[in-house]
């Protein structure tokens, strides 16, 4: 029997696999420190929990419109206007089962076989796989740590072709924590205009910014940028609602309609209870979000300082999200207790075996001389895990 060749070419998510392995080791009684998870360790705020319970008790547990309830679309429209100065109508909004489904929908809606999508490396693990599932071709732009892993015009001009259909921006970025400035976004917007590209702007970490950083949505920069941008967002990261699975997208109404048609057949509506809870997340008090951001900043500052105090590894300070990309290039090619560390996969595997610390190898993001640490875990775990990493690196 011959199975789908396309499906067989799709890689598993290394981040989810590593997180699952760390959880299993913990369940087996092993003292593992997990730096893999891309989710806040905080509980969903109580007002959001209460809204979900209320929805259940009021019987709001049936099918909804496939593209989302009107109450949530209205809350999303208000959010875009208040936070981003972006004006959308209801027919420009879709609510999906997580931001990941929004991304899958948009690629299904815009790509034909052989169409190319520009992606910066390091990249979130699912971007290339979602493009391939939609019969597209991911085209990677290598970025430089010295430039905070950002696109530049020279690198973009090297990869664009007559087959290029779209470009992905992720700011704040997973896995690097990079935040694009308005000037940098204007360059990308002009590039997209020149080559008539769809801009897919993943802004899921929008609220997780530190210091004086400001989030700018590329869709605000011009009428042209607005018309060609699909903004991807959701409640998962900002409101500690990863398991609730609510994401949303906004943009060109023709593309949103295609996305809605696709979703109506693929999954139908997102979870009804989670949608009502998300209305409260967007409309209710933001105090818990602010408290979470303050704690993330403390953890980031500590992690960056500690990493840079360890000989032979280093990192730049991320400006958003909750990840640190650690440069391990100086230890590659060396050995730990007779085991060769040829690449980031070896580093992560041996570290987990010997020191019981789970990290994500940079190979998952297209950069093999790095590992990713998440500081979406307790300060106690961060301190313990970094002590173990220091001991590991010291003995390489």
């Amino acid at each position: 029997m011959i199975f789908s060749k396309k499906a067989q070419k799709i890689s598993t998510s290394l981040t989810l696999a590593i997180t699952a392995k760390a959880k299993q080791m913990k369940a087996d009684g092993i003292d593992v420190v997990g730096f893999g998870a891309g989710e806040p360790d905080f509980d969903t705020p109580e007002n959001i929990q209460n809204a979900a319970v209320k929805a259940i008790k009021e019987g709001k547990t049936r099918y909804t419109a496939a593209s989302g309830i009107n109450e949530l679309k209205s809350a999303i429209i208000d959010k875009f206007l208040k936070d981003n100065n972006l004006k959308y109508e209801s027919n420009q909004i879709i609510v999906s089962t997580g931001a990941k489904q929004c991304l899958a929908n948009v690629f299904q809606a815009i790509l034909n076989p052989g169409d190319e999508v520009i992606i910066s490396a390091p990249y979130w693990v699912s971007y290339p796989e979602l493009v391939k599932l939609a019969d597209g071709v991911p085209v990677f732009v290598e970025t430089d740590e010295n430039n905070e892993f950002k696109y530049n015009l020279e690198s973009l001009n090297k990869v664009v072709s007559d087959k290029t259909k779209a470009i992905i921006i992720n700011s704040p970025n997973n896995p690097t924590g990079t935040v694009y400035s308005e000037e940098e976004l204007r360059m990308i917007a002009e590039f997209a205009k020149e080559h008539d590209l769809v801009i897919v702007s993943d802004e899921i970490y929008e609220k997780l910014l530190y210091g004086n950083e400001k989030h700018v949505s590329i869709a605000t920069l011009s009428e042209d940028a607005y018309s060609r941008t699909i903004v991807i967002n959701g409640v998962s990261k900002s409101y500690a609602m990863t398991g609730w699975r609510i994401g949303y997208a906004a943009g060109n109404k023709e593309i949103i309609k295609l996305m809605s048609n696709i979703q109506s057949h693929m999954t139908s509506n997102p979870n009804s209870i989670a949608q009502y809870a998300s209305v409260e997340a967007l409309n209710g008090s933001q105090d818990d979000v602010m408290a979470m951001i303050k704690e993330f900043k403390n953890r980031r500052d500590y992690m960056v300082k500690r990493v840079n105090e360890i000989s032979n590894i280093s990192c730049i300070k991320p400006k958003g999200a909750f990840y640190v990309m650690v440069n391990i290039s100086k230890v590659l090619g060396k050995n730990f207790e007779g085991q060769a560390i040829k690449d980031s996969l070896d580093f992560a595997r041996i570290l987990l075996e010997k020191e019981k610390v789970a990290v994500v190898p940079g190979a998952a993001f297209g950069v093999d001389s790095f590992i990713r640490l998440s500081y979406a875990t307790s300060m106690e775990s961060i301190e313990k895990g970094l002590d173990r990493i220091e001991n590991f690196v010291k003995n390489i």
Side-chain angles (χ1 to χ4, degrees), residues 237-258:
K237 312 296 184 178
S238 299
Y239 298 96
M241 293 177 69
T242 50
W244 298 71
R245 307 309 302 132
I246 295 293
Y248 54 86
N252 177 292
K253 65 182 181 182
E254 283 80 16
I255 295 177
I256 295 296
K257 183 178 181 181
L258 292 174

Side-chain angles (χ1 to χ4, degrees), residues 196-216:
D196 193 23
L197 308 181
V198 176
I199 300 170
V200 179
S201 184
D202 183 348
E203 303 177 15
I204 189 71
Y205 294 96
E206 170 192 14
K207 292 186 181 293
L208 302 181
L209 291 168
Y210 313 110
N212 297 318
E213 292 301 316
K214 302 293 182 190
H215 174 73
V216 178

Side-chain angles (χ1 to χ4, degrees), residues 186 189-190 193 217-228:
R186 285 192 185 279
E190 285 301 312
K193 180 180 180 180
S217 177
I218 195 169
T220 64
L221 299 183
S222 67
E223 283 188 31
D224 182 82
Y226 175 85
S227 67
R228 66 176 68 251

Side-chain angles (χ1 to χ4, degrees), residues 158-170:
K158 283 181 181 177
V159 300
V160 71
S161 75
D162 57 2
K163 294 180 179 179
T164 309
K165 176 64 72 69
I167 181 170
I168 299 175
I169 306 167
N170 179 207

Side-chain angles (χ1 to χ4, degrees), residues 39-193:
E39 61 178 348
D41 58 315
F42 302 94
D43 289 333
T44 302
E46 192 171 355
N47 62 311
I48 300 171
Q49 296 180 36
N50 291 339
V53 173
K54 184 170 181 282
I56 293 170
K57 289 184 175 180
E58 291 178 354
K60 294 175 178 175
T61 55
R62 295 173 174 81
Y63 292 134
T64 73
S67 63
I69 60 174
N70 288 331
E71 295 95 323
L72 182 50
K73 287 187 178 183
S74 294
I76 291 165
I77 289 168
D78 291 343
K79 175 257 176 273
F80 274 121
L81 187 59
K82 180 181 66 178
D83 291 352
N84 310 106
N85 197 29
L86 284 168
K87 294 181 181 179
Y88 292 110
E89 303 293 332
S90 183
N91 62 1
Q92 293 178 277
I93 305 289
I94 181 174
V95 182
S96 302
T97 306
K100 188 179 285 191
Q101 187 180 17
C102 291
L103 288 161
N105 287 341
V106 74
F107 295 134
Q108 292 278 352
I110 67 173
L111 297 180
N112 291 303
D115 283 348
E116 296 177 351
V117 178
I118 296 173
I119 305 170
S120 62
Y123 47 76
W124 178 53
V125 294
S126 292
Y127 289 145
E129 308 310 316
L130 292 173
V131 169
K132 288 188 280 186
L133 279 168
D135 292 320
V137 178
V139 175
F140 302 113
V141 172
E142 301 300 323
T143 61
D144 194 318
E145 185 180 20
N146 295 323
N147 188 40
E148 297 183 355
F149 303 105
K150 295 177 181 178
Y151 289 122
N152 60 48
L153 188 56
E154 182 184 4
S155 63
L156 289 174
N157 284 330
K158 283 181 181 177
V159 300
V160 71
S161 75
D162 57 2
K163 294 180 179 179
T164 309
K165 176 64 72 69
I167 181 170
I168 299 175
I169 306 167
N170 179 207
S171 177
N173 182 271
N174 173 11
T176 68
T178 285
V179 177
Y180 278 88
S181 69
E182 182 175 332
E183 182 182 358
E184 291 161 339
L185 291 172
R186 285 192 185 279
M187 177 273 291
I188 296 168
E190 285 301 312
F191 173 81
K193 180 180 180 180

